Amino acid sequence: MAEDDEDWFEQAFDDEAEESADHSGDSPADADDDPPTEADADEPSADADDEAVETDTADVDDAPDDSDTDEAEDTADESVDPTDALDLGDEPAPDAAESESGGDDSDDFADAFGGGEPGGGDDLFEDDFADAFGGGGAPGGGDETFGFDIDGDAGAGAPGGFEEDEEYDSDIPRIDIGIDGLDEMIQGGVPERSLMVAVGEAGTGKTTFGLQFLYEAVQNGDRAVFITLEESRERVIKSAVDKGWEFDRHTEAGDLAVIDIDPIEMANSLTSIRNELPRLVEEFGASRLVLDSVSLLEMMYDDQSKRRTEIYDFTKSLKEAGVTTMLTSEASEDNPFASRYGIIEYLTDAVVVLRYIRPEDFRETRLAVEIQKIRDANHSRETKPYEITHQGISVYRQANIF
C-alpha cells in the first residue's frame, strides 16, 4: 500500500482536530513507528512451507516419488505438478506483495486487532475450539449442550424472551441514540461500542438518522466523527445546521470531524484506512462514529467473495476502534427489510429498518421504523410511524400503523 494512501486519510482527520491538539503533527509519523522486522517477513513463508509439506505428504498417490524441493523447482517450468492443485500456496502471494511495499499493512492489521497471528495455529483447534464443544468446565460437562447455554438468552424480543418494559440486566454502559420515541423503544439504551446499521430506501432519512445520532454526543460534551461517501463536507454541515444542530460551531471547536471521501478512493485504500482508523479515532477522542453509507463502499467490489471479506474486515476494525458506530445502508430492491447486499446486518450488533408504508387507497405514504435486533438489549418489536421534520426524526411511540 502506498504511503500516500495512508497520509491522505490521516490528514483528513488532522484537518478536523483542534489546532492546539498535540496529535495533529504526530499522526503521519505514527504509521512508520513499527517497521516490519526481517523475522516478521519470514514467518508467513515458514507457515506456507509447512502447509505445502503437509499437503505433499497427505497426497502420496499423486505426488512424484522424489519430493526433493530443489528438483521440484527445477522442473516447475517444464510441467505442472499434479499436487499443485492441492498446494495451499494462496497466502504467500499477498505476503510477498506486502513485503515489497514494506509490510506495513500486515503489521498495522495485527496491531489493530490486538496483535498475534490470526488463527493461532494447531493449539486453537485442539484447546480453545475443543473446549467450546467439549464443555471445558461448562455447566453439564458440555456433552448434552455442546457448550451452548440452552436456557440462556434467545435474543432481545425473541418469543419467550423479555417482556415489554423490562430492562436487560447487564453491566455494559448504555447510551441513547438521540431520537425521541425510538429511545423509548429500547429499554435501557444501546450498549456502548455497539456497531449499528440503519437500513432504508431512498428518502427514509438515513443520513438524518446518522446526524441526529452524532448530535446527541456533541451535545453531551463528547467528540464524534462523520464520514460521508455521498455528500460533500459542506453539504453535510449545512444540512445539520438547517435542522438547528450546530455542526459548524462544533467542527470549528474541534469536537466534531466531518470527512468526505470518494468511495472509489476509500475502496482502494481500505486496508490502510482500517489499519489506521482505530488509532486515529482514539487520538481524536471520539465516542461515536457514523459512516454514510456502507452500500457505496460495498458497490466498489464486483466479486461477492471479495466484498464479504473486505466489509467483514472493515467492520472488525470499527469494533476495534472502541466507539459506538452507526452505519447507513440502502435497502434491497426486492426486500425493504434487508440491506442491498444482505451482508451488513449479519456483521452488526443492532439493525434499525426505516421503510415506507403505502396504504391500498394510496392517500398518503407513511414512514415506519422497527428494530430488527439489538444485542444485549431489550427492545420493542412493534412497527411505529415516524416523521422527518425540520428538527430531525421523531418516532410516535404511542401511535400505530393503520
Side-chain angles (χ1 to χ4, degrees):
M1 180 64 58
E3 185 176 353
D4 293 340
D5 288 337
E6 299 180 2
D7 293 342
W8 71 263
F9 186 69
E10 292 190 33
Q11 188 62 41
F13 264 89
D14 295 341
D15 291 343
E16 293 297 332
E18 290 182 288
E19 295 181 359
S20 60
D22 294 335
H23 66 269
S24 62
D26 298 334
S27 298
D30 292 341
D32 298 326
D33 285 344
D34 298 320
T37 63
E38 182 177 354
D40 293 336
D42 292 338
E43 287 181 2
S45 299
D47 293 340
D49 290 340
D50 292 340
E51 291 179 358
V53 171
E54 292 175 3
T55 303
D56 292 339
T57 304
D59 196 359
V60 296
D61 293 335
D62 295 334
D65 293 338
D66 189 355
S67 58
D68 184 79
T69 304
D70 294 335
E71 293 181 7
E73 292 177 352
D74 293 338
T75 59
D77 295 336
E78 299 177 2
S79 62
V80 178
D81 193 335
T83 60
D84 287 347
L86 298 178
D87 186 9
L88 305 180
D90 292 337
E91 295 182 2
D95 292 338
E98 291 174 2
S99 177
E100 293 178 2
S101 61
D104 293 339
D105 290 344
S106 176
D107 294 340
D108 292 341
F109 184 80
D111 293 340
F113 290 94
E117 296 183 2
D122 295 337
D123 290 341
L124 175 64
F125 179 81
E126 295 176 358
D127 297 332
D128 298 340
F129 190 75
D131 288 345
F133 281 85
D143 293 337
E144 297 180 359
T145 64
F146 295 97
F148 298 105
D149 185 4
I150 302 301
D151 297 326
D153 171 22
F162 309 108
E163 296 181 358
E164 184 75 13
D165 298 329
E166 178 185 356
E167 292 190 5
Y168 190 82
D169 186 13
S170 172
D171 295 330
I172 303 175
R174 308 296 172 123
I175 63 171
D176 288 334
I177 290 179
I179 296 178
D180 291 339
L182 185 62
D183 284 323
E184 284 71 24
M185 295 176 67
I186 308 169
Q187 288 92 51
V190 176
E192 280 188 354
R193 300 189 177 188
S194 294
L195 178 59
M196 300 177 284
V197 61
V199 179
E201 301 170 80
T204 52
K206 300 184 295 297
T207 299
T208 301
F209 194 107
L211 295 174
Q212 201 162 343
F213 172 70
L214 291 191
Y215 189 59
E216 174 73 9
V218 295
Q219 270 190 314
N220 295 328
D222 295 331
R223 289 186 169 188
V225 176
F226 189 94
I227 301 176
T228 175
L229 306 183
E230 298 182 344
E231 303 286 351
S232 66
R233 177 180 182 273
E234 292 73 17
R235 180 69 179 269
V236 169
I237 295 175
K238 183 179 184 303
S239 179
V241 171
D242 288 344
K243 292 178 173 58
W245 306 330
E246 300 175 309
F247 272 39
D248 52 350
R249 181 175 66 84
H250 287 291
T251 53
E252 292 175 0
D255 300 329
L256 177 65
V258 178
I259 304 169
D260 55 351
I261 305 176
D262 182 89
I264 298 177
E265 189 175 14
M266 184 170 183
N268 292 336
S269 306
L270 191 59
T271 299
S272 172
I273 291 175
R274 68 172 180 245
N275 292 341
E276 295 301 318
L277 190 58
R279 177 180 62 81
L280 294 171
V281 168
E282 181 180 2
E283 290 180 355
F284 187 73
S287 64
R288 301 191 188 194
L289 182 146
V290 168
L291 174 65
D292 183 36
S293 77
V294 70
S295 297
L296 287 180
L297 181 59
E298 291 175 313
M299 290 172 61
M300 298 300 104
Y301 304 101
D302 295 329
D303 181 72
Q304 183 177 2
S305 177
K306 177 73 170 177
R307 181 188 302 123
R308 288 178 178 272
T309 300
E310 292 295 338
I311 299 303
Y312 173 75
D313 288 342
F314 182 62
T315 55
K316 287 192 70 175
S317 70
L318 290 174
K319 291 182 179 181
E320 185 70 17
V323 294
T324 309
T325 303
M326 170 67 68
L327 309 175
T328 67
S329 175
E330 294 180 9
S332 168
E333 295 180 358
D334 302 323
N335 183 3
F337 300 96
S339 66
R340 179 166 186 166
Y341 293 99
I343 299 174
I344 197 64
E345 55 263 51
Y346 295 99
L347 302 178
T348 52
D349 304 308
V351 179
V352 178
V353 176
L354 309 173
R355 63 188 180 96
Y356 292 110
I357 299 291
R358 296 182 172 90
E360 295 181 357
D361 56 15
F362 295 100
R363 288 187 304 174
E364 182 182 6
T365 299
R366 297 170 182 163
L367 294 168
V369 59
E370 67 178 68
I371 303 171
Q372 278 192 357
K373 74 171 182 179
I374 300 181
R375 290 175 182 152
D376 299 323
N378 288 357
H379 61 86
S380 170
R381 290 286 185 179
E382 298 176 300
T383 299
K384 292 298 181 180
Y386 72 93
E387 284 187 349
I388 306 174
T389 69
H390 65 282
Q391 294 179 334
I393 294 176
S394 294
V395 176
Y396 298 107
R397 179 70 176 85
Q398 302 303 322
N400 293 310
I401 297 292
F402 295 100

